[in-house]
Amino acid sequence: MSRKEARLWGLGFGVFLLLIWQLAANLIHKSFLLPGPLNVLESLWENRAEIFMVHFPATMKVMVLGALISILLGVVLAVIMDWDSRIERAVYPLLTVTQTIPVMCLAPVFVLW
């Protein structure tokens, strides 16, 4: 299968999923429970000014700040662990354990937090 055919199959499958979603939303008739893709697009269009002028910049600021803090803390911790082997022996096992926990398990905890 060529790349073009693979892309067409992927696009077709995406359209198929959107149609199934819309049909399910139409069968349920409760947009608060399952809004269809057309309802989502309509809401995005109606609220576009607020979304892109208020919420998007605020989200980007928080995202960039979080990335900078995590990079800074990661570099500082790596340098400290490299300087002192006792700190490395104490911290490295904890870092290893935290990396083995699936993100899917942590996401609900962070959402509730």
Side-chain angles (χ1 to χ4, degrees):
M1 182 182 304
S2 70
R3 293 186 96 186
K4 186 175 182 179
E5 289 175 336
R7 287 182 182 164
L8 285 174
W9 275 100
L11 180 63
F13 186 67
V15 169
F16 173 74
L17 289 177
L18 286 172
L19 287 173
I20 295 294
W21 177 13
Q22 185 64 47
L23 287 173
N26 288 343
L27 289 174
I28 291 176
H29 289 297
K30 295 179 181 170
S31 62
F32 66 90
L33 198 60
L34 180 65
L38 295 177
N39 297 96
V40 172
L41 288 174
E42 180 183 350
S43 178
L44 281 173
W45 182 256
E46 290 173 357
N47 301 313
R48 67 188 179 279
E50 184 180 356
I51 290 171
F52 291 111
M53 301 306 287
V54 177
H55 299 295
F56 182 73
T59 301
M60 292 305 292
K61 287 177 188 174
V62 170
M63 187 183 75
V64 169
L65 181 64
L68 291 175
I69 290 171
S70 66
I71 290 169
L72 179 68
L73 288 177
V75 169
V76 168
L77 186 59
V79 168
I80 290 172
M81 287 173 58
D82 187 54
W83 280 343
D84 192 348
S85 63
R86 293 174 296 167
I87 293 175
E88 180 183 3
R89 285 193 308 268
V91 174
Y92 192 74
L94 297 173
L95 293 175
T96 304
V97 167
T98 60
Q99 295 303 306
T100 61
I101 301 171
V103 175
M104 289 175 46
C105 296
L106 293 175
V109 174
F110 289 137
V111 167
L112 291 174
W113 185 23

